Amino acid sequence: MKKLLLLLFCAPAMVWGQRAVGGPCEGCEAIHESQVPFDRLQAFTRLPGVTDSSPNRLGINGVVFQADGKTPAPNVILYIYHTDPETGIYPRKGDEKGWARRHGYIRGWMKTNHKGEYKFVTRRPAPYPDRTEPAHIHIVVLEPGLKEYYIDEYLFDDDPLLTDAVRKRQLNRGGSGILHLNDVGEGMFKAERNIYLGRNIPGYPSSR
């Protein structure tokens, strides 16, 4: 009995990584490279390279909802990364390890608060140098009890590379990722995206 009580006392409050969903996801394991322990992550993050005077700043916020589409989902980990605003490459400083060698240093982590809210500030990324894809921000989700999976990238509805054909290819994983940017002045743009756990995610358990 004492041993059982000790195990219960020592058990973590949140358990991730028990069930795989969403299909193949190259690089999604980078979500585990956060230098801040998951239980200490905040709902807000400012990505590297952005200051209060940077041009083309983006403030993106939203609510993560559970599969019912109505109940806020707390304690969900979000990992984002994107290219730099000038060249469209994933910039590196030269000492990166793990997936940072591919994703670069413009990346960040958040954990939704008790209202399911999240927010991040960054600069608008540039498209790849060959301009084969619209500019985008990658996002990976990790919720309690499941392994990490990707959802639709953040895209910008005023991007000329976001053609009708590209729009039709979107799978709406987690809901639409296409953002409408509002110019709030002084080089700052804001947008909102709510995320719906399990929406269009293959293998997602129906009981959640």
Side-chain angles (χ1 to χ4, degrees):
M1 184 63 179
K2 289 182 179 180
K3 184 177 181 180
L4 177 59
L5 289 174
L6 180 61
L7 288 172
L8 290 173
F9 179 78
C10 295
M14 291 295 163
V15 178
W16 288 273
Q18 292 183 327
R19 177 172 176 172
V21 297
C25 185
E26 182 182 6
C28 282
E29 58 266 39
I31 199 170
H32 296 283
E33 295 180 343
S34 174
Q35 296 184 356
V36 177
F38 285 165
D39 61 354
R40 296 182 184 177
L41 286 172
Q42 302 297 312
F44 168 77
T45 190
R46 182 187 295 266
L47 270 64
V50 60
T51 68
D52 290 340
S53 60
S54 298
N56 294 318
R57 300 189 309 282
L58 292 178
I60 298 174
N61 69 281
V63 176
V64 178
F65 290 100
Q66 295 180 14
D68 63 9
K70 299 180 292 184
T71 307
N75 300 311
V76 175
I77 310 300
L78 305 176
Y79 167 64
I80 55 174
Y81 67 98
H82 63 75
T83 63
D84 69 15
E86 288 79 30
T87 66
I89 65 170
Y90 297 103
R92 297 185 295 272
K93 296 180 179 178
D95 59 351
E96 284 77 15
K97 298 179 181 179
W99 280 98
R101 291 187 292 244
R102 291 270 300 275
H103 296 175
Y105 64 80
I106 305 179
R107 59 183 191 156
W109 290 258
M110 296 157 282
K111 183 179 71 173
T112 58
N113 63 19
H114 69 286
K115 295 181 179 180
E117 298 167 329
Y118 76 94
K119 180 179 180 180
F120 65 91
V121 172
T122 187
R123 293 179 64 198
R124 180 169 178 164
Y128 296 147
D130 60 9
R131 299 182 63 82
T132 55
E133 296 184 33
H136 55 274
I137 300 174
H138 295 277
I139 177 168
V140 178
V141 172
L142 178 63
E143 54 179 296
L146 300 178
K147 289 185 177 295
E148 61 276 0
Y149 59 91
Y150 73 91
I151 62 175
D152 273 20
E153 302 157 342
Y154 294 89
L155 300 169
F156 310 103
D157 66 357
D158 62 349
D159 188 335
L161 296 177
L162 185 60
T163 63
D164 289 341
V166 174
R167 290 174 187 267
K168 291 178 181 178
R169 289 203 302 267
Q170 301 308 300
L171 300 176
N172 289 330
R173 290 174 60 117
S176 175
I178 299 176
L179 302 178
H180 174 73
L181 300 181
N182 295 303
D183 186 348
V184 297
E186 299 183 354
M188 183 74 177
F189 296 81
K190 291 186 176 181
E192 181 176 313
R193 178 192 184 179
N194 293 334
I195 294 169
Y196 302 89
L197 298 176
R199 181 169 294 182
N200 300 316
I201 304 299
Y204 196 86
S206 59
S207 60
R208 293 174 71 88

